[in-house]
Amino acid sequence: MEYFKVRSNKGNLIKGPLIIKPKIFLDYRGYFFESWNQSEFNHIISRQVNFVQDNHSESKLGVLRGLHYQLNPKAQGKLVRCTKGEIFDVLVDIRKNSDTYGEWYGIVLNEENKLQFWIPEGFAHGFISLKESSEVQYKTNEYWDKDHERSLFWKDDELKIDWPIEDRNGKFKILINDKDANAPKLNQIEESGELL
């Protein structure tokens, strides 16, 4: 298993998130890889994490989910992977005392590269499906909690997230629910004090 640190849209190293690349064993029968190992994961991130919930979603082409986060004391860390299709996965640093506050990072996750994305507490997270059907599975270290869940507007002009929202024929339609479409921008979240 290899892992890589990430740099924000401004080129700054973001403390905490990691890209994890599993060791894949290929032969004439197919492939095998270890998708989860508690001991190795805790060693890589230098802390003890206990995952309590697994989530699995299926999204059509153009479905955008996020940007989601949970307030303390229910903040979630997530270990994300795409097991079918392809997504563009994004995090935004919303840790008010972070050097990279308000900066973002995005990566393509798909069934071919089998990469996993560790997103610790303190980040808003979302993704867009780039295929007709994309399945995303992720572990969380805190249960979903309706009273603590929040959203950050995916198209906030200040964030300038470079979402890949074009296909070969031009732009494709974004499919998004009302809650995410009407989410507050970062400056509104700052004013409300709902940061991590």
Side-chain angles (χ1 to χ4, degrees), residues 76-189:
Q76 289 181 320
K78 300 176 181 178
L79 182 62
V80 183
R81 64 187 180 126
C82 179
T83 54
K84 177 185 174 188
E86 184 171 88
I87 64 168
F88 183 66
D89 206 41
V90 173
L91 62 73
V92 178
D93 191 344
I94 57 170
R95 300 170 295 180
K96 55 189 170 187
N97 297 319
S98 170
D99 293 339
T100 51
Y101 172 75
E103 297 179 26
W104 63 272
Y105 173 80
I107 185 171
V108 171
L109 303 178
N110 58 42
E111 59 187 302
E112 284 84 29
N113 65 31
K114 296 176 178 47
L115 297 175
Q116 296 183 44
F117 194 13
W118 165 239
I119 303 166
E121 304 88 335
F123 294 85
H125 168 252
F127 64 85
I128 186 170
S129 172
L130 303 177
K131 299 288 184 182
E132 292 299 330
S133 175
S134 297
E135 293 190 24
V136 174
Q137 297 183 49
Y138 62 97
K139 298 178 175 299
T140 66
N141 66 347
E142 181 58 70
Y143 296 105
W144 174 78
D145 188 287
K146 182 179 179 181
D147 294 333
H148 290 81
E149 183 186 41
R150 297 293 186 271
S151 293
L152 168 62
F153 187 48
W154 70 281
K155 207 173 179 183
D156 188 330
D157 292 336
E158 282 189 42
L159 299 176
K160 295 182 175 66
I161 297 172
D162 189 16
W163 295 98
I165 53 177
E166 293 186 8
D167 64 8
R168 292 182 187 135
N169 301 313
K171 292 189 176 184
F172 54 78
K173 184 179 180 182
I174 296 295
L175 302 172
I176 190 167
N177 67 16
D178 289 342
K179 179 186 76 173
D180 292 343
N182 297 303
K185 295 182 177 182
L186 188 60
N187 64 350
Q188 294 171 308
I189 290 172

